Amino acid sequence: IAFYDKLHGMISTEDSGFFVTSDGGNTWLKHILNGNKDFVKVGYDGSNTVLLALTIDGFICSSTDGGTTWSEIGLTGSLFHSFAIAKDGTLYIDAFGSALVSVDGGTKWNSTAGTYQGDCWTIAVDSCDSKRLYLANEEWQDLSSSISNFYLSTDGGQTWQTTDTHPKPYLTGSLATTYDALFLGARNGSGVHRSMDQGMTWKSIGGPDLEFDTRTIAVLNDNMLFAGD
């Protein structure tokens, strides 16, 4: 779920395309683009008229007129799990073990040098620093490791460091950000975890244990959030 403001929002679904509202959710317009029905991420690129949607097969669909018309841009492939949009318009996409970056709205993409464990399903970018990236690693599908990590990059994906690591099952892939805080969903009995120092340290704040693939943390402000198990 991604909302630009109180009126404009999008919801992606696994088998029914994605939906767009411009009246606060009272009505929704359904989109299935070129037969694609499975969308893993939606978002707004700096305006309520510039919309992005990512299919499970790695097709990025873009609209510059609020969702009236759509086109596929720049990147096709597989195992693309999530994208993030920086305040300066830079786009990052999680490509199962490394990040791709675009500075022209998704027309051209470049690889980054940093690598990480591939089973990451949520990438986010800091609200104040366009090169500070966050990744939640479930390590559920990838059986090469028994460790679940939180990854941090301060240079736009060129290098990554691990600031939180635990034996799996641990992180669920749920990650949400505000101007001041980060929130992670965990599955180890400690509920939601919060960082107040840009991902360097973490503390459990209780709440429900989340299951794998939920991606359901929605943050209203630094102290009020919603999480689904």
Side-chain angles (χ1 to χ4, degrees):
I1 302 174
F3 266 77
Y4 180 79
D5 53 27
K6 292 182 178 181
L7 296 178
H8 300 86
M10 304 173 68
I11 294 178
S12 60
T13 75
E14 182 178 346
D15 196 43
S16 297
F18 62 96
F19 297 80
V20 179
T21 182
S22 58
D23 57 10
N26 289 301
T27 60
W28 294 86
L29 181 62
K30 181 177 181 178
H31 294 274
I32 295 176
L33 305 179
N34 296 330
N36 291 312
K37 297 181 179 181
D38 193 345
F39 288 83
V40 297
K41 180 76 174 183
V42 289
Y44 290 86
D45 191 359
S47 167
N48 61 23
T49 61
V50 182
L51 286 60
L52 298 176
L54 174 65
T55 76
I56 198 170
D57 296 317
F59 293 90
I60 293 183
C61 303
S62 172
S63 174
T64 59
D65 54 14
T68 301
T69 60
W70 291 84
S71 61
E72 292 178 356
I73 58 174
L75 183 66
T76 59
S78 60
L79 297 179
F80 301 119
H81 290 163
S82 183
F83 65 81
I85 306 170
K87 67 172 184 176
D88 63 359
T90 301
L91 300 179
Y92 296 96
I93 192 167
D94 166 31
F96 204 84
S98 64
L100 304 179
V101 59
S102 174
V103 296
D104 59 4
T107 301
K108 296 180 180 179
W109 292 86
N110 295 312
S111 301
T112 56
T115 59
Y116 46 83
Q117 292 178 355
D119 197 15
C120 298
W121 290 84
T122 306
I123 187 171
V125 60
D126 192 85
S127 60
C128 298
D129 185 348
S130 297
K131 291 188 177 298
R132 192 177 187 92
L133 307 178
Y134 309 112
L135 270 168
N137 167 241
E138 296 181 11
E139 206 57 22
W140 180 252
Q141 287 187 337
D142 184 358
L143 302 180
S144 62
S145 172
S146 61
I147 302 298
S148 178
N149 297 309
F150 174 81
Y151 292 106
L152 166 66
S153 175
T154 60
D155 54 12
Q158 299 304 322
T159 60
W160 294 90
Q161 59 179 301
T162 301
T163 64
D164 197 23
T165 181
H166 297 266
K168 68 176 186 182
Y170 186 66
L171 296 180
T172 68
S174 303
L175 170 62
T177 67
T178 71
Y179 288 112
D180 302 311
L182 305 176
F183 298 90
L184 282 172
R187 198 188 178 217
N188 68 332
S190 59
V192 177
H193 293 213
R194 180 173 63 185
S195 173
M196 299 297 293
D197 56 7
Q198 296 179 299
M200 297 303 298
T201 60
W202 293 89
K203 179 182 178 180
S204 170
I205 60 171
D209 271 12
L210 304 185
E211 291 297 330
F212 292 107
D213 294 337
T214 56
R215 320 280 187 271
T216 48
I217 298 179
V219 181
L220 183 61
N221 55 47
D222 291 344
N223 297 298
M224 184 175 294
L225 62 151
F226 302 88
D229 68 3

